Structure formats: C-alpha cells, structure tokens
Amino acid sequence: MAADSATPAATPTPVRSVDEIRAQFPILAREVKGKPLAYLDNGATAQKPLAVIEAMDAYYRGHNANVHRGVHTLSEEATDLYEGARAKVAGLLGSTSPREVVFTRNVTSALNLVAQSWGTANLQAGDRILLTEMEHHANIVPWHMIAQRTGAELQFAPIDEEGRLDRAALSELLAGGPRVFAFTHVSNVLGTKNPVTELVAEAKAAGALTVIDGAQSVPKFPVNVAEIGADFYGLTAHKLYGPTGIGAIWGRRELWEALEPFEGGGSMINKVTPEKITWASVPARFEAGTPPIAEAAGLAAAIDWVQEVGIRAIEAHENQLTAYALPRLAEVPGLTVFGPQDTVEREGIISFELEGVHPHDVSEILDRHGVAVRAGHHCAQILMRRLGVAATTRASFAVYNTTEEIDTLVEALHDARRIFGL
Ligand code: PLP
C-alpha cells in the first residue's frame, strides 16, 4: 500500500544550498556543551528563520494595534496583516476561501474546537468516535472529554507491526458507523505518512465526519484540502518555522456555518442583549477575544519563506536525510527503529530504542555531543502501550539538517553504548 500524496508529484527542485538555508537561522550558529548544535528535535518545534523573527519585530515596531475594531491607520494595518495571514494559510492548504480558516492557539486548540463545537451539536450516548492508535494526545484527549460529556464511546483503529494503519481492521471499524473519524496525517512517533485521501474517501462513504491533524504533515510536503476531501484539517505554526501561540484549522464552510462557538467573548458576537446573543459570521464566530496578531504576522512570513524555498524541495531534502539516516542508525548494535523502514511510507521523524540505555540517558548523552533529540512518550501513551515501551528517543529532521549532523548523532549513539559498557 503506497501512501498517497495530496497533490500530483512534480519534479522536486533541489533545495537551495543547505548552508544558504542554515545562514537564515541564527540559532543554528550556537554551540551546546562546546559542540556545534545539531538540532534534531523538529518534531517538537522547528527553528525560526530571520524572515519570521523580523516580521514579528517589524509588526511590534511599526504596526501594533488591535484588529477589526479600530478605524485608525495602525488598526487597519494590523487587520490587513492578520487577515492577510488567513489568506496565506488558505492558499497553503489549497483552499480558495480564507473564510474557511479559523485561527487558534495551536493545533491542540483547533482539535478541541472541533471536538467541543461539533461534538456538542452532533454526539449522543452510544455514538462512536473513531481515532487511531498512533494519535498524539491532542487528537485523543479532546475526544475523551466530549465522549464523557455526551456518552459517546471512543474506538482506536489499530496499527500493524510496521507501524502503519491496519486497513482491514479500520474498514471493519468504519463499517460500524462511527460519527467521526479523527486521525493524524503523519505520526509524530512512527513517522508514518497515512494515505489520507483514501482514508477520507472510505470514512465519508461510511458516513463519518473526517478531522485531520496536520501538525507534522504541513511542514513536510504539499497538502491540498480540496484534493483530500476532508471536513476539517488543522495545523500548528511553530512546527512550520513559524512562531508559537498560533495555529489554524480549515473546515468546510457549511460545517462552520452550522456550528456554535465553544468560547465566548469579544469579537465573536453580532448582538448582545440581556436576553440573548447572536453570533458573528464565520470565522470571527470562533475567534473570541484579541487574537494572536504578531504571531499571525510571523506565520504569514513563515508561509512565504516555505513557499520561497519550495515545499517540494523541503520534502526532497528531508527524504534524502531519512534515506541516509535509516541505514546509518541500523549500524548501531542494539538499536531498533519504530515505524515503516522506507521513505515512501514514512517521514523524517525517527523514533528508536537503544537496548540497555534508557531514552532519557540517550538524550542526555547526545546533548553532550550538541545533538538535540526528544525522549519520552511524545504525548502518545496509547501508541507507547501498543509498541510495548514506556518511552522512545526521537530524532526528527527539518530542511536545515545535514547528513553530517546524522553522522554526529550516530557517533554519539556509539558513545552512549560505550558509556553504558555495551
Ligand atoms: N499532533 C501531532 C501529530 C503533534 O506532533 C503535535 C505536537 O507535537 C500536536 C498534535 C500538538 O501540537 P501543539 O502542541 O502545537 O498543539
């Protein structure tokens, strides 16, 4: 089963020289423990190019004001920046309608918004909510919460031994008629790239609402919501070379129109009287209070930056890194990589176990070599239980990473084995 791509394959343009790209990220010049930083924790958050840092700085220096409510010049400029960012998110996701994009704090709050607003209106006791075993807690806990409130029941589509969704088991679960199928496009632990277009088509045929967590996919390859056919698709800016504090969720216009907000406050109402309230139109209805304006300026700059480098070029570069890393990691005795072992069905998010060394110790020893990775359950405890481990170590790549950094990672892993007498 080949993972499908949301857009037709085009010949990837080679990534601009990695040195040229690295020069745009000030933090990459620093040292850690006296060694050059090898930042391989991009699945947690990506570093920010100067274009993003400067866009936020320029906003505060020259345009800062609150949006929408003012008729003065600064407020209009801030509004233009904020709404311009919305249009860029829509464009990035292949939507022609910025009004279908709602800004949130991150993808976690995006998924909470759908679970609460859609779930309150549509779920009742006995309904099924279908998730997968490879979800991040951001796509589990909000559904747990709405299940508790409504009496709906959670189901988890299993993964196979290679860390892909078990399609036969999934089909059986879909045949049971879940009201919603919420799943991740790319696993933050296994790196698995799910065949979203096929999965959405199957879920839709079964009558389920489809909600996709795009936290790890949007930074890595082109995503086109029109081609995928999903109902909701969320992203988080800080993994896309943008700032923390802002995320977004695209949804079908008619679905948004039918939903009630779950947070109330300024900006999201049409009229408030002592007796009743009427909602503002979409998307303002779902954006209560002062939004993350500087962060929107940063996100807009991040999208411009990604598009200038070229998302296909980013994809090609990271695939090369993954293809280099998998055999190199296999040289380390006692090391097991979780998830698919090829670059077709997986992305450059590589979780592994080093026999005899706890992931936190691995991570600490790697840090002595300047290598930043993540150790722990990666907010995926259901998956950890399925894999039969308490934690893993995870190296995850971005466009500025190099094969030399992967060599440093591998050398540091050999060092960890030496230190533990293995
Ligand atoms: N979903 C996946 C697959 C992730 O990897 C992450 C972050 O690690 C999230 C959701 C949550 O992202 P955020 O904390 O930005 O909401």
Side-chain angles (χ1 to χ4, degrees):
M1 178 195 68
D4 61 355
S5 172
T7 48
T11 314
T13 39
V15 80
R16 274 189 289 175
S17 108
V18 180
D19 285 345
E20 199 186 321
I21 288 192
R22 289 180 71 84
Q24 297 176 39
F25 289 79
I27 204 169
L28 297 180
R30 69 162 285 180
E31 294 193 340
V32 166
K33 310 265 162 69
K35 304 273 168 49
L37 167 66
Y39 186 78
L40 302 178
D41 194 18
N42 298 284
T45 199
Q47 299 301 346
K48 321 305 173 198
L50 274 171
V52 169
I53 299 167
E54 285 169 0
M56 295 179 76
D57 186 68
Y59 166 74
Y60 279 125
R61 285 175 189 274
H63 309 282
N64 179 49
N66 213 329
V67 291
H68 296 145
R69 291 183 281 269
V71 284
H72 61 84
T73 300
L74 289 187
S75 176
E76 281 168 5
E77 287 173 5
T79 303
D80 286 349
L81 272 170
Y82 184 67
E83 292 306 323
R86 196 190 304 281
K88 284 187 201 286
V89 172
L92 180 76
L93 296 180
S95 161
T96 50
S97 176
R99 296 175 69 92
E100 293 184 325
V101 172
V102 170
F103 279 127
T104 58
R105 273 198 328 278
N106 44 39
V107 76
T108 302
S109 60
L111 294 165
N112 273 279
L113 166 59
V114 176
Q116 289 298 324
S117 286
W118 182 88
T120 302
N122 293 285
L123 292 174
Q124 55 186 27
D127 281 347
R128 293 183 198 130
I129 298 167
L130 181 58
L131 310 174
T132 82
E133 283 182 337
M134 66 170 85
E135 296 314 306
H136 186 283
H137 292 164
N139 202 24
I140 298 176
V141 181
W143 298 108
H144 248 302
M145 290 164 73
I146 194 71
Q148 274 165 17
R149 262 188 46 213
T150 58
E153 169 197 326
L154 294 190
Q155 293 180 313
F156 290 86
I159 57 166
D160 65 18
E161 290 307 308
E162 284 200 56
R164 299 168 304 198
L165 281 177
D166 176 338
R167 293 293 295 276
L170 174 66
S171 298
E172 244 174 69
L173 287 163
L174 283 171
R179 295 297 316 280
V180 51
F181 178 34
F183 63 99
T184 192
H185 198 158
V186 169
S187 162
N188 67 310
V189 175
L190 303 165
T192 312
K193 179 180 184 182
N194 283 316
V196 270
T197 311
E198 281 177 25
L199 297 181
V200 166
E202 195 179 343
K204 291 198 119 174
L209 182 91
T210 50
V211 182
I212 301 179
D213 174 355
Q216 299 288 352
S217 48
V218 174
K220 299 210 170 295
F221 51 81
V223 167
N224 185 308
V225 289
E227 288 171 17
I228 292 171
D231 294 312
F232 290 101
Y233 195 105
L235 62 85
T236 197
H238 68 96
K239 297 189 203 281
L240 182 65
Y241 308 100
T244 53
I246 188 166
I249 181 152
W250 169 90
R252 283 182 193 290
R253 182 73 190 269
E254 63 276 16
L255 288 168
W256 283 133
E257 295 292 351
L259 291 187
E260 306 240 320
F262 96 106
E263 270 187 339
S267 306
M268 47 72 74
I269 47 78
N270 184 17
K271 197 157 190 203
V272 179
T273 67
E275 296 75 34
K276 69 178 235 183
I277 35 179
T278 55
W279 309 130
S281 57
V282 178
R285 184 186 303 173
F286 300 101
E287 295 179 1
T290 299
I293 310 165
E295 289 75 10
L299 171 56
I303 293 173
D304 283 346
W305 187 85
V306 162
Q307 289 178 332
E308 202 197 309
V309 174
I311 189 77
R312 285 280 180 206
I314 293 174
E315 180 182 27
H317 179 70
E318 291 189 28
N319 279 344
Q320 276 168 16
L321 292 176
T322 308
Y324 181 79
L326 289 172
R328 290 264 20 229
L329 287 168
E331 289 165 15
V332 182
L335 189 144
T336 310
V337 167
F338 297 100
Q341 300 294 317
D342 64 74
T343 56
V344 178
E345 293 185 293
R346 78 166 306 139
E347 294 297 317
I349 300 168
I350 306 183
S351 284
F352 56 86
E353 193 179 32
L354 185 58
E355 201 181 0
V357 193
H358 189 280
H360 283 119
D361 293 326
V362 174
S363 176
E364 195 271 317
I365 293 166
L366 297 192
D367 188 58
R368 294 184 209 165
H369 291 254
V371 179
V373 295
R374 187 141 296 245
H377 57 59
H378 313 291
C379 300
Q381 288 180 357
I382 298 221
L383 179 57
M384 292 296 119
R385 198 172 65 168
R386 168 66 179 83
L387 297 176
V389 294
T392 72
T393 309
R394 181 186 72 184
S396 49
F397 308 139
V399 65
Y400 39 69
N401 288 127
T402 63
T403 51
E404 289 77 17
E405 288 175 320
I406 293 167
D407 292 339
T408 309
L409 165 71
V410 170
E411 278 156 31
L413 287 167
H414 284 295
D415 191 35
R417 291 191 76 252
R418 270 192 300 274
I419 289 170
F420 275 76
L422 298 169

